[in-house]
Amino acid sequence: MKKMTIFLAFLLFVSFQAAAQMQITGRVTSVINGEPIPGVSVVVQGQETIGTATDFEGKYSLTVPQSAENLIFTSVGMKQTIVPINGRSTIDLAMEEEILEMDEVIVVAYGTSKKESFTGSATMIDNKSIESRNVSSATKALEGVVPGVQTTSGGGQPGSDLNIRIRGFGSINASNEPLYVVDGVPFDGNINSINPNDIESMSVLKDASASALYGARGANGVVIITTKKGSEGEPEINFKATFGSSSRAVPEYETVDERTYMELFFESYKNSLIVDNGLTQGDAIDVALNGDATTQSFMEVLGGEVYNPFNVSSESLIDPNTGKVVNNATLKYHDDWFEEATRSDNLRQEYQLSIVGGNERSNYLLSLGYLDDKGLIANSLFDRYSARLNLNSEVKEWMKVGMNTNYALTKQNYLTDSGTSYNNIWYSTLSVAPIYPVYQRNEDGSFVFDSEGNKIYDWGETRPYANNFNTIATLYDDKRSYNADNLSSRFFVDLDTDKDLAVLKDLKFTINFGFDYRGSDRLIYNNPFHGDGSSVHGRGYKYNYRTLSYTFNQLLNYNKSIGDHTFDLLAGHEYYDYKYNYFYGAKQNYLFEGLTELAGAATTTGANSYENTYKVESYLSRFNYDFADRYYLSLSWRTDGSSRFHKDYRWGQFWSAGASWRISEESFMDSFDWLTNATIKASYGSQGNDNILNDDGSSNYYVWQSFYSSEYPNANYGGVWLESLENKTVEWEKNKNFNIGLETIFFNRINLSAEYFQKTTSDLLLFRPLATSSGFNGYWDNIGEMVNKGMDFDLSARIFEGDFNWTLGGQLSFVRNEVTKLVTEGQELVSGSFIIKIGEPINSFYLPTSAGVDPITGEQLYLVKERDEEGNIVDERITNSYDEAAANKEVHGSRIPDFYGSISNNFSYKGFDLSILLTYSVGGLVYENVYTSLFSTRNAGDNFHVDVTRRWQEPGDVTDVPRLVHGQVNYATNDALVDASYLSIKNITFGYNLPKNIVEKAKLKSCRIFVSGDNLALFTKLKGMDPQYNFSGSQNYNYVPLKTISAGIDVKF
Amino acid sequence: MNMKRLIYLIIAIFTIISCSEDTLETNPTNKASGPVVFETVENAYTALNGMYRAFYVYGEEWVDYYEAENSGVAALQLAADLMGDDMVKNEPGSAWFWYDYRYWVRSEINSTGDRPYAWWNMHYKFGNNANYLIANIDNVSGNEQEKNSIKAQAYALRAYAYFNLIRLYQRTYIGHENDPGVPVYTQPTNNQTEGKGRGTVEEVYTQINNDLDSALILFENATPQKHISHIDKYVAHGLKARVALTQQNWTDAATHAAAAREKSGLTLMSTDDLLAGFNTVANNEWMWGSEVVEEQSLSWPSFWSHMDASTGGYANSSRHCASRWLYEQISTSDIRKNWFVDPATSANESTGPDYSYNQLKFRVKQQGSWASDLLYMRMAEMYLIEAEAQCMLENYPEARDLLIDLLEYKDPNISTTLSTIPNGNTLNINTAGPVNNLLDFVILQRRIELWGEGHRVFDIQRLKTGFDRDYTGSNHSDKLTISDPESWQWIMMIPQKEFDGNVNMDPASDQNP
């Protein structure tokens, strides 16, 4: 092509030599790094036959007629630039990158689409915004960059993925997770096995028009991940290294110090002697301090004098008159449990090497990556070794083939990070009272050393909290590892029929085959000496999981343009097959220290295995029509047969219709110069969801059948137990999705889009209740209905362009959720502190209503509303009976925010660039069960929050914290709900491209150095709270999200 | 390749890989379908053994949370003692069973983790599994005696489940015969099954007795007991005796308790065995119990973890102690005094077994293993039932003989003690009263002998004594007193889930007060 242009230019030069002419020379470079750009087409405006192209140095020379006014510079990936000649003979140009280029073609279901012709709702993010985030899992790069997508924080466990929800909640009992598609094929591997640096783009499909072609599995939206490919040209080698270090992104809850703890516990225990044992105040103080024949003193309850951290003995530690620790008491020692759990070498390092190259017919990409992410806590780590090879070749003129293979080995040492087990350091370091030492102490508070001079852990033989357990020691002595081999491959054959054959002209046939294999093993080892395993002299669990899934599809594509009409027809067949194998073995009674595998243990305590299979067969079709690049119509249809359902109810039909109108292309809009583009689009359609879950969140593949579980052996006799009732009619959950949107570009620099959506999920799988007394609470049936509606706004403005560039981005979304149908009008699905009820959002909080603390007695009071049969409140009164309050729980809002979104700023100046990403969420509530647990007086040795110091102490005190009574239960009320609003500085990246001359001296193509910070700050109502822990709005003792500061270098040569 | 061949290829590929409908048929590999279970008598046996295994499964079968304190029948037995006056939980520890001890559970009807739901759900699941067996066993191929054995056991298990239900969800039989009972199901459930109403207490007891009678008849022509976890004729007699005792049908109680003891090889346990920890089905006094093998043991959530403070389990920081008064009633010459830590010699450690009155009756077979067996019925209970019944029938000499047989080898002074106790059968003691007559003595011995075996709260109800944990010198950490013998406090409310799915039950009229 280039040769042709030059040849034409030469011809023109010859034929016009009689006319007045001038010669123009110049050099075209990149505005970003000053590198020359070869192959830029330079033509004369109005006389496009006169032109040339730049050489490898970016230089050109062109003879133009005197009449020529402007030169047009065009190059792939660059913004077309028109430069007035103004009589100059030298015209150099620093070309800008085409910012819209990436947006123009987006990856959609089974292909790509021009953005302006796309009738659905989809957002595509490119590799730049992924690479700027130093994340170990690609899902974490989605946060804050896609309107309508909500994410959890994902926690700080190295290698952890986060969960995402696209436009609200799609289901109650089935999965709410989107479908992940990698390189055109649904993906069943671990997302964290994909090296984020290998990703070219991620598309998030949000409405029916975009995702109906994924029918059965598209109801919760689709995330399409496309990996990088090779390209024609001289091989390019890219090396990138990043180093970082982490700390907590969410601060610790504020808990009391030793002095306050002793005072609070003493008071709590003393009060229990009054309330439960009927002692007088005076006697209670005396007995609490000194104990008597049948009652322990407060210090005995806390484990005895050995745990008194003060230099004053416990009998005289508390002043009986004030209840305070006496003034002359000083601390003998102080241990910080969390600090002891933290590792000092929490380095994150990542190395990337990629090589890209190719010729006219074939290209390749080879990429290697190594990640070592150590996390914050001792012995947690995530290592990934990844390799990708992508080959594409045009083997015949009518045949293209390609393959893309990724192998990743991931190794993870992980921690328990939910729940209240003592081996969860996030629980134990927070909830242990500050008086307990990590290491054994002598009476004077100094460390006790063993014969080798090492500190000795305090195992807490008399400690009421975590008896015979030391959570710090467990970090070192126990083991939890997870290793996975991930192998994913995609193959395709494209048969592009010969253009000469009239009948088959424009017809293309593609075969795709892709598989995902994951073989993984998990080991949990509890050491024989202390902690969980000590009672059985050590215990080990070994799990093996093997997942193999493949997708095989055949697609026929017909594309035809007649005049202004363009037709595009797709028809295809797809088969998906998934197999999961599980094996588990457990042994106890370990022989030696250091042998952690099962071979090292004597007694088998468990073994189990099973296999799950799941298959889907599908036929699909799409019809796209485009008239004059102005009117677009898209129809799609798919039918899926899922093995999850009975054969009479197996097949589901899914479809969508979408249309868009580029109103700015109409002639009547010609006068609106400032309006670069305006598109109105609308779509409607249906999708399905068959990903029904068991109670524990695992997939339920056999939902309609009646079974006896075979896991009920009685000693040496095999045993089975009736587990489920049959319902043959169970079928798909269906999702009707309406979307209307407006996309505009003003002044060619401000992009603004707004979309409104309404998603109605019907046939929700619910348990149709039976009387529990029948032996079953119910059986699965398609009953419920739920609506999500909301809007997404997306703004991107290039405020400054030139040497100094500034792009501002803003996103705002909101979604309203309402459950509209359950089995019966009045049905309430209550789960702990949550309720699902008609007319309320899913997972609304359902709690007794607090009426404060009785100023006379210090008891917690509750507000009880009596209702008549219609549900009208007929009486309101205050009670101190929790039983009554528990029977009159109220709905108190939900986690769903009023609105949420992000603000991003990207600056560049010469070689410098700076980007800042903020995310925010306003409204919604969090049920702060962790915070409230720090108010519990039930168990001795449990820590208190500093807010406990507000407690009621004597008649007349007006406060919201009831009196402390040891051994009592503190019931949760709506007081445990905290405003969920937050602002987070998600990412700041600062980079510098080394100047050309330096780079060239080093014989490099480019070199960039950067520093970057992730999760830099979080502003919330309550210190310690992670408002993004989950979507339902509770808290857990989890691995807190990490703040990571990194620096790196990115070299191309 | 020419184009024609290409087209053929395209068509061929489309046709070949459109798979047949059968491809989409999948079945799990770890579950069996209903029809398979009822093909042969061997298969049906697995459904029976599954029910016995359900006596000691991890609680996730019964509840959605608090699984650790819902490990089946042993957990119910422990709670039943904690809800009485003879067992003290000295501190909450991890708080398992603490709520039972402190009476904080009965109204948690919305929670699928708490007792009202757990016990309702558990026993009705037993009932339904039994119904499937009873309905299908006649059509199963196999030996008739085997089938009789299975069917008899299913009847007895159904009776066992309903007997627990009626005692947990309604006040005791006597005086409440015509009060609402619990729904009774005798047919297997399918998705068209409609919930039943409460009926009356009398109807429930009629069903229980009919089932036990049916079982006893079938056992006459059945294969003998295969495993001690299986109900046999003698256990069925024992169950019948328990029911009769509750119904104050003294003659039946005495007859069946006596019949239950007739099993060959059954003897009272030796003094060595009395102190060996109550942990093995090999004990020759045990009539019915679960043999827990290592692989099926429940570790932390097991009965043993909750009960034995020497194992490093939950009991380590939450000791289960004898009530001080009861301990002091055990004569110093009685070997059973060793079931509890002597306060005089105890160092009162903050954790572990060395704590005043802490129980040592139940101890694991072996440290480092949770595989200890679980006890549901033993011979001593039969002696005590019969003694109580004879006492009520004023057959005092028979009652005295039974007590001597049961106790003499445990306490050599028992004859002397007994001789000082006058005949009489009006009960005087609730928790800490004096022993005034023979019935008082029988009940006291019952409290001592069966401590921790799951009878106390039910005895308090049927004997209509109420209880008082606030006696002088009480070591209870919660000094609750329930003096009203007709109290609802120890009766669970019915879980909301039941009303959600049962058109024949209405919370307004059918819920317990």
Side-chain angles (χ1 to χ4, degrees), chain A residues 461 467 535 554 588 605 611 615 617 650 705 708 710 712-715 720-721 723 726 772-774 777, chain B residues 17 19 23 25 27 29-32 46 53 61 117 185 189 191 229 294-296 311 316 351 368 498:
Chain A
E461 269 101 2
N467 177 246
S535 62
Q554 312 88 40
Q588 63 190 33
T605 54
E611 176 178 277
K615 299 165 185 185
E617 184 169 27
R650 172 172 296 156
Q705 306 185 60
Y708 274 84
S710 62
Y712 279 73
N714 174 33
V720 298
W721 177 256
E723 193 179 66
E726 175 181 283
T772 307
S773 58
S774 72
N777 282 326
Chain B
I17 52 191
C19 32
T23 317
E25 290 295 319
N27 283 296
T29 52
N30 56 342
K31 301 170 203 285
T46 64
R53 174 51 192 280
E61 182 55 33
Y117 174 78
Y185 297 79
T189 295
N191 67 22
S229 62
E294 196 72 68
E295 192 186 319
Q296 295 157 20
T311 60
N316 203 20
T351 56
E498 176 65 24

Side-chain angles (χ1 to χ4, degrees), chain B residues 249-513:
Chain B
N249 189 343
W250 308 119
T251 315
D252 274 8
T255 314
H256 287 288
R261 297 206 312 272
E262 283 168 15
K263 184 180 182 178
S264 71
L266 192 68
T267 61
L268 288 171
M269 67 179 87
S270 67
T271 49
D272 282 353
D273 281 349
L274 273 171
L275 302 180
F278 280 73
N279 52 30
T280 171
V281 292
N283 187 314
N284 50 19
E285 192 188 315
W286 285 29
M287 299 166 64
W288 188 27
S290 289
E291 180 189 357
V292 180
V293 300
E294 196 72 68
E295 192 186 319
Q296 295 157 20
S297 68
L298 294 176
S299 70
W300 283 81
S302 70
F303 170 81
W304 296 101
S305 156
H306 290 299
M307 199 61 160
D308 184 352
S310 68
T311 60
Y314 289 122
N316 203 20
S317 57
S318 177
R319 277 73 60 93
H320 293 99
C321 308
S323 161
R324 179 178 170 184
W325 179 86
L326 189 75
Y327 177 79
E328 285 170 359
Q329 301 312 300
I330 308 173
S331 116
T332 45
S333 54
D334 192 332
I335 189 169
R336 293 175 301 176
K337 198 126 188 157
N338 297 311
W339 283 353
F340 307 100
V341 172
D342 183 351
T345 59
S346 168
N348 279 325
E349 300 282 356
S350 289
T351 56
D354 188 5
Y355 189 75
S356 298
Y357 312 108
N358 175 46
Q359 76 86 22
L360 304 168
K361 180 180 175 184
F362 296 95
R363 282 174 291 118
V364 293
K365 277 182 200 170
Q366 191 191 333
Q367 288 290 327
S369 162
W370 301 102
S372 290
D373 302 341
L374 298 166
L375 169 64
Y376 307 129
M377 189 182 284
R378 65 183 173 106
M379 200 179 188
E381 186 196 348
M382 297 302 121
Y383 275 93
L384 287 160
I385 290 175
E386 195 180 346
E388 185 181 339
Q390 297 293 12
C391 206
M392 295 309 296
L393 292 166
E394 302 188 356
N395 298 327
Y396 298 116
E398 285 83 350
R400 283 174 189 273
D401 287 350
L402 287 160
L403 288 169
I404 299 263
D405 285 353
L406 176 68
L407 299 173
E408 201 172 34
Y409 76 103
K410 295 169 184 156
D411 178 4
N413 298 333
I414 205 76
S415 302
T416 326
T417 313
L418 257 179
S419 65
T420 65
I421 295 170
N423 288 337
N425 60 9
T426 48
L427 191 62
N428 289 301
I429 59 172
N430 59 2
T431 292
V435 174
N436 287 341
N437 60 41
L438 192 60
L439 182 64
D440 283 344
F441 187 77
V442 171
I443 298 303
L444 175 65
Q445 290 305 324
R446 190 178 161 89
R447 286 164 66 181
I448 297 167
E449 181 70 28
L450 302 182
W451 187 96
E453 295 177 36
H455 299 282
R456 182 57 187 158
V457 79
F458 299 121
D459 283 348
I460 287 167
Q461 291 171 58
R462 72 176 176 86
L463 296 168
K464 302 207 174 189
T465 58
F467 69 73
D468 176 8
R469 291 180 187 165
D470 198 16
Y471 56 83
T472 311
S474 167
N475 63 333
H476 273 283
S477 56
D478 180 22
K479 297 186 171 52
L480 177 73
T481 292
I482 302 178
S483 49
D484 176 9
E486 300 293 352
S487 173
W488 283 95
Q489 286 240 63
W490 39 60
I491 306 300
M492 299 297 119
M493 290 173 80
I494 293 171
Q496 184 58 37
K497 281 259 184 223
E498 176 65 24
F499 296 108
D500 289 346
N502 192 336
V503 290
N504 291 312
M505 276 175 61
D506 175 11
S509 52
D510 292 317
Q511 182 57 282
N512 287 334

Side-chain angles (χ1 to χ4, degrees), chain A residues 626-835:
Chain A
D626 159 8
F627 176 71
D629 273 340
R630 233 181 294 166
Y631 308 103
Y632 304 91
L633 178 71
S634 175
L635 303 171
S636 48
W637 170 84
R638 175 167 174 142
T639 181
D640 286 298
S642 168
S643 67
R644 291 188 200 235
F645 305 122
H646 183 262
K647 62 181 186 337
D648 297 342
Y649 298 88
R650 172 172 296 156
W651 289 89
Q653 311 279 331
F654 311 101
W655 57 273
S656 75
S660 65
W661 176 26
R662 278 182 82 189
I663 194 166
S664 52
E665 298 298 297
E666 297 289 351
S667 51
F668 60 80
M669 295 295 286
D670 282 354
S671 55
F672 300 98
D673 278 347
W674 48 270
L675 189 64
T676 319
N677 182 45
T679 306
I680 298 172
K681 60 185 180 181
S683 73
Y684 186 68
S686 82
Q687 294 136 291
N689 186 357
D690 71 345
N691 193 5
I692 296 143
L693 305 179
N694 294 309
D695 287 346
D696 63 357
S698 61
S699 267
N700 182 344
Y701 297 103
Y702 315 103
V703 63
W704 66 271
Q705 306 185 60
S706 163
F707 290 117
Y708 274 84
S709 163
S710 62
E711 290 168 28
Y712 279 73
N714 174 33
N716 293 318
Y717 295 91
V720 298
W721 177 256
L722 191 58
E723 193 179 66
S724 55
L725 282 182
E726 175 181 283
N727 180 18
K728 285 181 186 157
T729 66
V730 166
E731 57 169 5
W732 307 88
E733 292 191 351
K734 295 178 198 75
N735 191 329
K736 295 261 169 30
N737 204 332
F738 172 70
N739 187 72
I740 184 162
L742 176 67
E743 277 177 27
T744 50
I745 304 172
F746 302 102
F747 306 110
N748 203 18
R749 42 169 73 193
I750 301 169
N751 294 33
L752 178 67
S753 73
E755 289 186 14
Y756 168 83
F757 64 91
Q758 176 162 346
K759 274 201 315 191
T760 305
T761 313
S762 58
D763 288 338
L764 283 174
L765 269 176
L766 295 175
F767 226 45
R768 187 181 283 282
L770 290 175
T772 307
S773 58
S774 72
F776 288 99
N777 282 326
Y779 57 94
W780 291 108
D781 205 359
N782 299 90
I783 306 165
E785 196 176 277
M786 184 162 66
V787 179
N788 289 284
K789 41 186 145 181
M791 292 193 76
D792 299 329
F793 298 92
D794 191 3
L795 169 80
S796 147
R798 284 173 281 141
I799 294 173
F800 285 103
E801 288 181 300
D803 273 355
F804 175 66
N805 288 283
W806 175 20
T807 308
L808 171 71
Q811 295 180 349
L812 187 150
S813 297
F814 63 86
V815 61
R816 299 286 174 264
N817 176 285
E818 187 186 335
V819 176
T820 49
K821 195 176 159 206
L822 294 172
V823 183
T824 59
E825 195 64 29
Q827 193 189 20
E828 297 179 339
L829 300 170
V830 178
S831 170
S833 303
F834 295 92
I835 189 169

Side-chain angles (χ1 to χ4, degrees), chain A residues 948-966:
Chain A
V948 175
T949 54
R950 290 204 304 259
R951 80 235 175 255
W952 183 95
Q953 292 175 78
E954 54 186 27
D957 286 356
V958 176
T959 174
D960 59 337
V961 182
R963 74 175 170 190
L964 307 177
V965 182
H966 170 62

Side-chain angles (χ1 to χ4, degrees), chain A residues 276-277 294 296 300 303-304 398 422 461-464 467-468 495 497-498 501 504 509 511 531-532 535-537 539 552 554 556 571-573 575 588 603-607 609-617 619 641-643 647 650-651 695 701-702 704-723 725-727 769-777 779 828 830-832 882-883 886-887 889 938-939 966-969 971, chain B residues 1 3 6-7 9-10 13-14 17-21 23-34 37-38 45-47 49-54 56-57 61-62 64-65 90-95 98-99 102 104 107-108 110 117 120-121 124-126 128-129 132 183 185 189-193 195-196 226-227 229-230 291 293-296 299-300 311-313 316-317 324 348-351 355 367-370 473-474 476-477 479 497-498 500-502:
Chain A
D276 294 335
N277 291 20
T294 57
Q296 294 175 298
E300 282 168 332
W398 46 270
Y422 294 131
E461 269 101 2
T462 65
R463 181 186 343 114
N467 177 246
N468 192 22
L495 301 176
T497 52
D498 199 294
L501 213 73
L504 293 172
F509 181 62
I511 298 170
D532 286 340
S535 62
V536 291
H537 204 75
R539 182 163 40 195
F552 185 28
Q554 312 88 40
L556 204 51
H573 167 259
Y575 177 69
Q588 63 190 33
T603 320
T604 302
T605 54
S609 74
Y610 62 82
E611 176 178 277
N612 278 328
T613 42
Y614 168 46
K615 299 165 185 185
V616 182
E617 184 169 27
Y619 299 90
S642 168
S643 67
K647 62 181 186 337
R650 172 172 296 156
W651 289 89
D695 287 346
Y701 297 103
Y702 315 103
W704 66 271
Q705 306 185 60
S706 163
F707 290 117
Y708 274 84
S709 163
S710 62
E711 290 168 28
Y712 279 73
N714 174 33
N716 293 318
Y717 295 91
V720 298
W721 177 256
L722 191 58
E723 193 179 66
L725 282 182
E726 175 181 283
N727 180 18
L770 290 175
T772 307
S773 58
S774 72
F776 288 99
N777 282 326
Y779 57 94
E828 297 179 339
V830 178
S831 170
Y882 176 76
D883 281 0
K889 290 181 185 171
R938 196 182 64 194
N939 300 327
H966 170 62
Q968 289 280 18
V969 171
Y971 295 105
Chain B
M1 192 196 289
M3 288 318 301
L6 179 62
I7 297 160
L9 181 71
I10 290 170
I13 288 171
F14 257 95
I17 52 191
S18 294
C19 32
S20 73
E21 192 66 17
T23 317
L24 298 179
E25 290 295 319
T26 58
N27 283 296
T29 52
N30 56 342
K31 301 170 203 285
S33 69
V37 171
F38 296 110
Y45 248 117
T46 64
N49 275 302
M51 290 182 70
Y52 289 120
R53 174 51 192 280
Y56 61 104
V57 287
E61 182 55 33
W62 317 124
D64 293 337
Y65 34 100
N90 89 312
E91 61 265 276
S94 298
W98 181 242
Y99 290 48
R102 302 207 61 173
W104 289 334
S107 62
E108 287 284 353
N110 285 313
Y117 174 78
W120 187 267
N121 185 32
Y124 276 112
K125 280 205 157 90
F126 272 110
N128 189 40
N129 273 270
Y132 267 75
Y185 297 79
T189 295
N190 59 40
N191 67 22
Q192 302 302 315
T193 298
K196 301 272 202 290
K226 288 192 174 174
H227 186 258
S229 62
H230 292 188
E291 180 189 357
V293 300
E294 196 72 68
E295 192 186 319
Q296 295 157 20
S299 70
W300 283 81
T311 60
N316 203 20
S317 57
R324 179 178 170 184
N348 279 325
E349 300 282 356
S350 289
T351 56
Y355 189 75
Q367 288 290 327
S369 162
W370 301 102
S474 167
H476 273 283
S477 56
K479 297 186 171 52
K497 281 259 184 223
E498 176 65 24
D500 289 346
N502 192 336

Side-chain angles (χ1 to χ4, degrees), chain A residues 68-261:
Chain A
E69 288 181 352
N70 296 313
L71 287 182
I72 304 177
F73 293 80
T74 322
S75 176
V76 174
M78 295 289 156
K79 217 158 101 183
Q80 190 184 65
T81 314
I82 300 170
V83 182
I85 297 169
N86 293 339
R88 290 179 290 173
S89 61
T90 305
I91 300 179
D92 291 342
L93 175 70
M95 273 187 104
E96 283 175 45
E97 262 188 89
E98 177 67 283
I99 291 171
L100 288 177
E101 193 270 333
M102 198 63 208
D103 289 342
E104 275 180 345
V105 173
I106 57 173
V107 180
V108 298
Y110 298 93
T112 56
S113 172
K114 280 195 290 179
K115 186 167 169 70
E116 65 267 18
S117 74
F118 188 58
T119 63
S121 172
T123 304
M124 187 157 114
I125 64 168
D126 62 15
N127 61 323
K128 268 187 231 142
S129 75
I130 299 164
E131 280 176 24
S132 72
R133 307 286 306 277
N134 292 295
V135 291
S136 304
S137 169
T139 51
K140 291 196 173 176
L142 285 172
E143 187 178 4
V145 295
V146 183
V149 167
Q150 273 175 287
T151 62
T152 59
S153 55
Q157 186 105 257
S160 64
D161 296 331
L162 50 71
N163 292 320
I164 78 174
R165 294 284 176 271
I166 299 173
R167 291 185 165 178
F169 295 85
S171 185
I172 293 173
N173 286 312
S175 173
N176 279 292
E177 289 287 307
L179 173 71
Y180 288 90
V181 172
V182 174
D183 291 320
V185 170
F187 182 67
D188 282 311
N190 286 331
I191 298 290
N192 71 18
S193 70
I194 302 173
N195 181 347
N197 288 277
D198 284 350
I199 295 176
E200 178 66 37
S201 72
M202 289 200 273
S203 282
V204 178
L205 312 185
K206 293 180 266 191
D207 73 338
S209 195
S211 55
L213 268 194
Y214 289 108
R217 288 180 284 168
N220 294 316
V222 182
V223 178
I224 301 182
I225 296 173
T226 306
T227 60
K228 288 177 186 166
K229 291 184 175 49
S231 59
E232 190 183 331
E234 199 187 328
E236 182 178 275
I237 300 168
N238 182 192
F239 178 75
K240 186 177 166 190
T242 315
F243 305 89
S245 169
S246 307
S247 56
R248 292 179 76 117
V250 176
E252 285 184 87
Y253 289 91
E254 296 170 282
T255 52
V256 295
D257 60 13
E258 288 90 341
R259 185 173 284 265
T260 316
Y261 180 79

